[in-house]
Amino acid sequence: MTDFTTTIDADGVATITWDVPGKSMNVMSLAGFAELDSQIDAALADSAVKGIIITSGKKDFAGGMDLNVIAKMRDEGGAEGIFNGVMHMHAILRKIERAGMDPKTLKGGKPIVAALPGTALGIGLEVPLACHRIIAAENPKAKIGLPEIMVGIFPGAGGTTRLVRKMGAMMAAPYLLEGKLSDPKGAKAGGLIDEVVAPDALLARAKEWVLAATDADLVKPWDAKGYKMPGGTPYHPAGFMTFVGASAMVHGKTMGVYPAAKALLAAVYEGALVPFDLALKIEARHFTSVLMNPSSSAMIRSLFINKEALEKGANRPDAPDQTVKKVGILGAGMMGAGIAYVSANAGIEVVLIDAAQDAADRGKAYSEAILDKGIARRKVTPEKKAEVLGRITATTDYAALQGCDLIVEAVFEDMKVKAEVTAKVEAVVGAECIFASNTSTLPISELARASQRPAQFIGIHFFSPVDKMMLVEIIRGKETGDVAVAKALDYVRQIRKTPIVVNDARFFYANRCIIPYINEGIRMVAEGVEPALVENAAKLVGMPLGPLQLVDETSIDLGVKIAKATKLAMGDAYPDGAVDEVLFWMADQGRMGKKANAGFYTYDAAGKREGLWDGLAAQYPLADAQPDLTEVQHRLLMAQVLEAVRALEDGVLTDIREGDVGAILGWGFAPWSGGPFGWLDIIGAPRAVELCDALTSRHGARFAVPDLLREMAASGQTFYGKSARKAA
Ligand code: NAD
């Protein structure tokens, strides 16, 4: 199998074409790198070759490095193996960059141009960055950039060092630190690439450039005499400000919990002080240290490998293709409107139903508003808007649901209302149609009782706001059949979100774990723990929102409603009285959260969050002795993590990969940890047991160690280890 092939034309231009067999997207493997290396060697050595074009045989250039390979490099070779492997890549890319030129005179090299037909990500941009010119085809769908930081690493094949030297630290920052991706025009405007041409002119233009290139065109600024880094180095008055500012900004955003962000900054700062080749070596050292950090392996595992596996249907039952053609959405409120948008946007015909026509129209107008925003940001064309809106029929007429192969119900959270609409729908749709409820709290198996076809009844639980939240929780009721699960999974794939499949139990998976997190925060307020300590402890351990902010966002009255319903269902076993006292008191004060402009936080007239509400202290005076930061963090993390373990023990979760991916995408659980199970593996089951035993003695039985975890501690198992349950 060959990933790269070279052809040489009559004018002496060698074209090296990247085209990995059997894949729709090029991905770099170690074998692929070796092939590229030998073909570059051959072309540089061949006196008939005047210059080289590196391009792709596919519609895109490349999706990046195969992260499985990186994981393997680490597992097999350790730090030394990674470092040597990375330095070898540097040598190959540096050879492309120097292209046979005399290192003293900088003359005599062969021009090498990267011609990108489409998307070029990660190593797919790092190889071009080593070339002498990057030309991309005009292609608004193409994405160009270095997204490594998003999975807990950073560009380690020279991308970091080259981009900073090419653009300056300030301009490179969004690409490196935020993984910003641009289309070719944006990438050209940002200075990431050099030229954008019409797609059919790509190779001709690349060839023209190669044939016209002079010695001077091949010398990278950093290899030329008198090179100065754009924007200045750390000891330059202008550069100083950038570096100090970047450091503060990164720590402000990441709270210091992401090793990759810190290592990236260090590589950039230290690299800026030394010559280019030494900077590459520094980059390699920091890259190695990041890859050896358990956080980066946990992030790669959950945010890349397992997320992708779930999206590709790792847990899809064996059933024929269930691609959705026409979806009926019941209830055009906040959720229904969002579900209509993501469905129509994915090319699915939508019937959006509400009880009154104006409510249905308002639901459709929600899509229009999102599309208009897209137009203003030039992400959407007016034609695309018309097309998407054209797919949505907003109506009150159930007869319009005829021909739907999927129904997603998002009416009021009320058993009776839901049962009524179920019966009305089943009277019009065909026998094959699958019925899904978006309920957040009602058991699917009970809702299914209103259905004539419980095997075709399922939960498809979206998170709000639907167009932004990437997780969809699919809930299998007692009688839900495989075809319904396959349908839900195929639908989620169509709307390009990430699915997890869980079994039916109170609050399913995500909400089941979020509620104890919120409750633990509120419980601490009742105990007199400084609310700012609670909130900051959460953020300093990587939670996007503190528990008090989270309950403000989701609303205090919703919390009250859920608490009352849970108490009713659990009776005397209900454990959260201390939490309710605070919650109900807040509701009595009319502090319903963000939507009321008053909650645990205060808000200005425009709804902007100001600070924690000081009226809380009068009701719940601060205790004289405040807990350590880590004690608060352990309480907040364990409240969620133990619930995830219990969900696994109870069989609600059947796959830890879903537990981890679902936690990060569903409620932002400390992404650096790779998820609750990832975190338990990082600290180890024995340490987790020790922590929980101590928490139980201080705070009560809710921290009691689940049997599964205690057994794992005793037998030395890890969740993702060989002896664990279903793992990656
Ligand atoms: P909402 O009140 O904004 O919307 C409900 C809509 O359903 C309203 O437009 C209402 O007019 C319509 N409706 C009510 N009865 C109807 C009927 N008989 N026929 C047709 N339309 C009817 O509520 P929402 O926040 O969109 O929630 C809808 C569902 O989604 C609920 O089950 C809720 O638990 C669930 N959910 C909500 C969230 C969230 O964050 N809001 C998240 C996940 C799931």
Side-chain angles (χ1 to χ4, degrees):
M1 297 246 272
T2 45
D3 290 1
F4 291 87
T5 40
T6 305
T7 53
I8 302 171
D9 72 9
D11 299 311
V13 174
T15 301
I16 300 181
T17 305
W18 191 359
D19 198 350
V20 179
K23 296 223 168 176
S24 58
M25 176 71 94
N26 288 323
V27 178
M28 189 66 97
S29 63
L30 292 180
F33 230 122
E35 276 181 37
L36 175 64
D37 184 26
S38 70
Q39 294 186 29
I40 289 283
D41 277 344
L44 290 177
D46 185 343
S47 58
V49 171
K50 295 199 181 76
I52 302 166
I53 299 171
I54 301 180
T55 191
S56 160
K58 304 195 191 290
K59 71 179 177 32
D60 291 309
F61 186 65
M65 190 82 191
D66 182 349
L67 289 179
N68 291 294
V69 170
I70 294 188
K72 207 165 157 222
M73 242 158 81
R74 181 198 50 233
D75 295 345
E76 287 173 4
E80 194 179 354
I82 295 172
F83 181 75
N84 290 338
V86 172
M87 286 308 287
H88 182 60
M89 284 186 209
H90 281 324
I92 297 170
L93 294 178
R94 196 66 176 128
K95 179 166 59 192
I96 292 177
E97 192 157 55
R98 304 294 265 178
M101 67 180 70
D102 179 321
K104 289 218 171 66
T105 62
L106 304 179
K107 291 199 162 88
K110 290 184 185 180
I112 305 183
V113 58
L116 316 179
T119 290
L121 299 175
I123 191 81
L125 180 59
E126 290 179 298
V127 171
L129 282 169
C131 296
H132 305 118
R133 193 163 184 86
I134 309 175
I135 306 178
E138 179 163 3
N139 175 354
K141 288 212 171 117
K143 292 194 173 112
I144 299 181
L146 300 165
E148 284 86 342
I149 198 82
M150 307 305 287
V151 291
I153 56 174
F154 70 89
T160 298
T161 300
R162 285 195 175 85
L163 207 65
V164 168
R165 275 173 160 72
K166 184 170 175 156
M167 306 166 79
M170 180 84 97
M171 299 298 282
Y175 291 105
L176 294 174
L177 282 168
E178 293 162 22
K180 175 181 165 181
L181 306 180
S182 297
D183 64 12
K185 275 190 175 161
K188 162 85 173 69
L192 208 57
I193 63 170
D194 305 305
E195 208 175 320
V196 181
V197 298
D200 53 5
L202 180 66
L203 290 180
R205 173 61 195 137
K207 179 172 171 177
E208 182 187 35
W209 189 85
V210 162
L211 292 175
T214 64
D215 279 333
D217 290 330
L218 312 194
V219 181
K220 288 292 173 69
W222 46 90
D223 284 327
K225 253 207 172 113
Y227 167 72
K228 288 207 165 47
M229 184 179 286
T233 54
Y235 289 133
H236 184 277
F240 163 77
M241 311 232 292
T242 307
F243 281 90
V244 171
S247 189
M249 199 185 78
V250 168
H251 279 83
K253 276 197 177 166
T254 65
M255 299 289 166
V257 290
Y258 292 90
K262 277 191 202 173
L264 168 66
L265 271 186
V268 170
Y269 182 97
E270 293 161 20
L273 303 174
V274 296
F276 184 78
D277 288 294
L278 190 51
L280 287 179
K281 199 166 176 180
I282 289 173
E283 185 192 289
R285 286 204 187 286
H286 283 294
F287 188 61
T288 304
S289 118
V290 162
L291 285 186
M292 292 306 293
N293 190 306
S295 161
S296 80
S297 2
M299 282 181 79
I300 291 176
R301 185 179 56 218
S302 288
L303 291 172
F304 181 78
I305 298 172
N306 291 344
K307 176 173 169 291
E308 205 173 88
L310 297 177
E311 285 163 0
K312 285 193 175 152
N315 291 331
R316 186 184 185 282
D318 190 13
D321 177 44
Q322 295 293 322
T323 301
V324 176
K325 292 181 192 70
K326 183 173 171 187
V327 63
I329 295 164
L330 309 178
M334 188 165 99
M335 298 305 286
I339 299 166
Y341 167 72
V342 296
S343 304
N345 202 39
I348 303 171
E349 198 187 330
V350 175
V351 178
L352 180 58
I353 295 220
D354 208 294
Q357 185 62 41
D358 62 335
D361 291 340
R362 266 199 309 279
K364 181 170 173 177
Y366 177 80
S367 287
E368 187 164 11
I370 298 185
L371 291 160
D372 281 340
K373 253 190 229 160
I375 291 179
R377 283 196 273 119
R378 301 226 192 128
K379 296 274 179 227
V380 175
T381 60
E383 296 75 45
K384 164 96 180 175
K385 173 184 161 184
E387 213 179 278
V388 174
L389 290 180
R391 287 193 198 109
I392 305 178
T393 306
T395 178
T396 57
D397 181 8
Y398 278 67
L401 295 173
Q402 263 172 28
C404 283
D405 49 327
L406 174 69
I407 301 291
V408 181
E409 170 277 304
V411 299
F412 296 141
E413 188 74 340
D414 182 304
M415 207 60 136
K416 220 172 117 217
V417 178
K418 287 191 191 293
E420 270 166 29
V421 297
T422 306
K424 272 168 96 174
V425 168
E426 289 187 353
V428 272
V429 296
E432 304 287 298
C433 183
I434 302 294
F435 190 104
S437 174
N438 179 48
T439 178
S440 10
T441 55
L442 304 171
I444 294 301
S445 309
E446 274 179 47
L447 288 174
R449 282 202 218 135
S451 168
Q452 308 276 332
R453 303 184 275 264
Q456 284 160 239
F457 199 101
I458 193 164
I460 301 187
H461 180 215
F462 284 85
F463 294 79
S464 173
V466 176
D467 56 307
K468 299 230 167 62
M469 297 296 286
M470 294 313 293
L471 186 73
V472 178
E473 201 172 9
I474 295 171
I475 301 116
R476 223 183 221 280
K478 275 197 196 84
E479 294 184 58
T480 305
D482 281 354
V483 173
V485 176
K487 184 95 195 171
L489 283 166
D490 289 357
Y491 171 58
V492 173
R493 179 177 40 74
Q494 281 175 277
I495 57 174
R496 292 204 195 89
K497 295 198 182 284
T498 310
I500 60 170
V501 182
V502 301
N503 285 317
D504 195 15
R506 176 173 294 280
F507 303 132
F508 317 130
Y509 172 61
N511 286 341
R512 172 178 178 159
C513 299
I514 301 169
I515 293 169
Y517 170 63
I518 291 178
N519 284 355
E520 199 60 30
I522 296 178
R523 206 183 286 273
M524 284 192 245
V525 170
E527 290 168 16
V529 177
E530 169 70 78
L533 176 57
V534 175
E535 294 293 89
N536 286 328
K539 290 202 181 152
L540 285 167
V541 82
M543 294 300 296
L545 303 183
L548 305 179
Q549 189 184 342
L550 187 54
V551 71
D552 261 13
E553 306 257 336
T554 50
S555 92
I556 307 279
D557 42 332
L558 180 66
V560 167
K561 207 172 140 195
I562 291 177
K564 284 186 176 160
T566 312
K567 194 169 176 180
L568 199 67
M570 292 182 75
D572 289 346
Y574 182 70
D576 293 323
V579 176
D580 293 354
E581 196 193 306
V582 182
L583 209 55
F584 292 11
W585 179 76
M586 289 290 285
D588 287 345
Q589 307 300 305
R591 302 194 71 88
M592 297 303 187
K594 189 173 195 293
K595 67 176 185 192
N597 259 10
F600 284 100
Y601 283 82
T602 58
Y603 301 82
D604 69 12
K608 191 163 176 271
R609 202 163 43 88
E610 292 176 326
L612 282 154
W613 176 48
D614 52 15
L616 208 53
Q619 183 75 5
Y620 298 102
L622 295 187
D624 292 339
Q626 291 291 315
D628 284 348
L629 178 74
T630 43
E631 169 85 358
V632 177
Q633 290 177 325
H634 285 150
R635 286 179 69 174
L636 293 174
L637 283 182
M638 281 304 181
Q640 306 168 69
V641 167
L642 291 181
E643 204 54 50
V645 174
R646 287 181 207 118
L648 183 67
E649 267 188 330
D650 297 352
V652 171
L653 273 181
T654 56
D655 182 339
I656 54 171
R657 296 177 298 178
E658 294 182 311
D660 275 346
V661 173
I664 298 176
L665 298 188
W667 75 95
F669 180 88
W672 62 267
S673 69
F677 300 101
W679 183 61
L680 286 173
D681 274 1
I682 288 176
I683 63 169
R687 170 83 179 126
V689 165
E690 187 190 327
L691 280 174
C692 290
D693 284 344
L695 289 174
T696 307
S697 69
R698 285 195 291 272
H699 304 290
R702 64 188 180 282
F703 291 108
V705 178
D707 291 344
L708 170 65
L709 196 58
R710 207 175 278 286
E711 282 159 23
M712 286 173 63
S715 60
Q717 287 181 12
T718 59
F719 283 102
Y720 284 97
K722 284 194 189 66
S723 46
R725 298 179 178 215
K726 214 163 157 187

